[in-house]
Amino acid sequence: EPEVTQTPSHQVTQMGQEVILRCVPISNHLYFYWYRQILGQKVEFLVSFYNNEISEKSEIFDDQFSVERPDGSNFTLKIRSTKLEDSAMYFCASSLGLLENTEAFFGQGTRLTVV
Amino acid sequence: DAKTTQPPSMDCAEGRAANLPCNHSTISGNEYVYWYRQIHSQGPQYIIHGLKNNETNEMASLIITEDRKSSTLILPHATLRDTAVYYCIVLYSGNTPLVFGKGTRLSVIA
C-alpha cells in the first residue's frame, strides 16, 4: 500500500537553528499538507500546497516557516530560527484531489525537539 | 475551529460494537462528514466519509441522520487495536484543509 514517508523520525535542534523536515508524498498525489501536534494538544493545520504554491495557511504558519517542493518527489517544511515552542510532532499529508472528494494520507511524523 | 461536538472519551468492550457520536448542527448541504483516527502518536488515519447516505467500508459504518445534524461512527467488532482518538470533521467545500478538534478517546477494554 502506498504511504507518505517522513524523515527523520526524530530531530533535536538547538534554539535559533534552522531545521528542514522532509516528506515524500504518495507519487501521484497533487495536494500536500503540513500539520503539527504539540504534545497533548490537537492536530493543527499549518499549510496546504498545490501546483507549486501555497493554497492556504494558518496563523501558525508565519514568516519563520516555508515549504518547498524542490523536485518531483520531496516536500519540505523549513523552520528558519527554531523556538522552544516549535517542539512538536510534524505530520505531512498528501491527497490525490481536493479533500471534499478524497482522503488525505498522513505520514508517521517527525518529532522535533528544540532545546 | 472545528464545527463538531464529540464526547471526550468512551469505553468499549473488546468484540462489541463501538458507536461514536458526533454533532454537527451547523452543517450545510454540500459539506461532507469525515472520520479520522489517531492511534497513540501516529499520523491520523482516514476511516470513512459521507454526505447524506449511510456509508460502509471494511473499517466502519457511518450513519448520518436525515437532517444531517449528527452522525455516528460504528466499529462493528472493536479490537484492542482500535484504541485511539477518533475525529469527526466537517469538511467545507473548496480547497479547505481538515480541521481537527479534540476528538473522542476510545478505549477498547479486554
Side-chain angles (χ1 to χ4, degrees):
Chain A
E1 184 175 308
E3 60 181 13
V4 175
T5 305
Q6 291 186 243
T7 55
S9 57
H10 191 182
Q11 173 128 17
V12 181
T13 189
Q14 287 198 326
M15 190 169 53
Q17 294 296 303
E18 175 183 285
V19 67
I20 296 175
L21 308 182
R22 291 183 165 78
C23 170
V24 179
I26 294 173
S27 62
N28 61 339
H29 283 190
L30 301 175
Y31 295 79
F32 314 108
Y33 315 87
W34 283 101
Y35 286 78
R36 79 172 186 189
Q37 186 174 32
I38 295 170
L39 187 63
Q41 298 188 23
K42 297 187 297 186
V43 177
E44 301 174 291
F45 168 74
L46 294 178
V47 66
S48 58
F49 192 86
Y50 169 71
N51 199 26
N52 282 321
E53 60 183 29
I54 291 173
S55 49
E56 191 158 347
K57 61 182 180 179
S58 71
E59 292 179 353
I60 303 168
F61 194 89
D62 60 21
D63 292 344
Q64 290 284 79
F65 293 89
S66 63
V67 289
E68 194 177 34
R69 188 157 162 80
D71 52 42
S73 60
N74 291 288
F75 180 51
T76 62
L77 175 69
K78 181 192 292 186
I79 309 174
R80 287 189 182 80
S81 178
T82 51
K83 304 186 284 287
L84 294 177
E85 53 265 39
D86 293 327
S87 294
M89 282 289 285
Y90 287 81
F91 295 108
C92 173
S94 69
S95 64
L96 183 60
L98 291 173
L99 288 176
E100 61 184 6
N101 295 321
T102 187
E103 62 188 272
F105 291 80
F106 285 78
Q108 290 306 294
T110 293
R111 180 173 298 282
L112 177 66
T113 303
V114 182
V115 298
Chain B
D1 277 28
K3 302 297 185 184
T4 61
T5 304
Q6 299 178 252
S9 64
M10 292 181 63
D11 292 339
C12 178
E14 188 179 20
R16 305 296 294 267
N19 296 284
L20 293 96
C22 178
N23 287 322
H24 31 78
S25 57
T26 59
I27 195 170
S28 61
N30 58 350
E31 293 168 347
Y32 285 81
V33 178
Y34 272 74
W35 284 83
Y36 280 75
R37 72 180 181 182
Q38 187 177 26
I39 297 172
H40 195 45
S41 296
Q42 297 177 21
Q45 176 191 24
Y46 166 82
I47 302 173
I48 198 167
H49 74 281
L51 184 62
K52 296 179 182 176
N53 300 322
N54 298 337
E55 301 288 343
T56 295
N57 63 19
E58 65 277 4
M59 288 182 71
S61 294
L62 174 61
I63 308 298
I64 303 174
T65 57
E66 195 168 335
D67 63 7
R68 304 211 321 123
K69 292 181 186 290
S70 66
S71 60
T72 301
L73 178 74
I74 301 172
L75 306 178
H77 306 286
T79 70
L80 298 178
R81 288 175 296 180
D82 292 321
T83 293
V85 179
Y86 287 77
Y87 300 99
C88 170
I89 301 170
V90 169
L91 195 64
Y92 301 93
S93 60
N95 187 17
T96 52
L98 294 168
V99 175
F100 291 84
K102 295 182 180 179
T104 295
R105 182 172 298 278
L106 175 70
S107 298
V108 180
I109 303 164

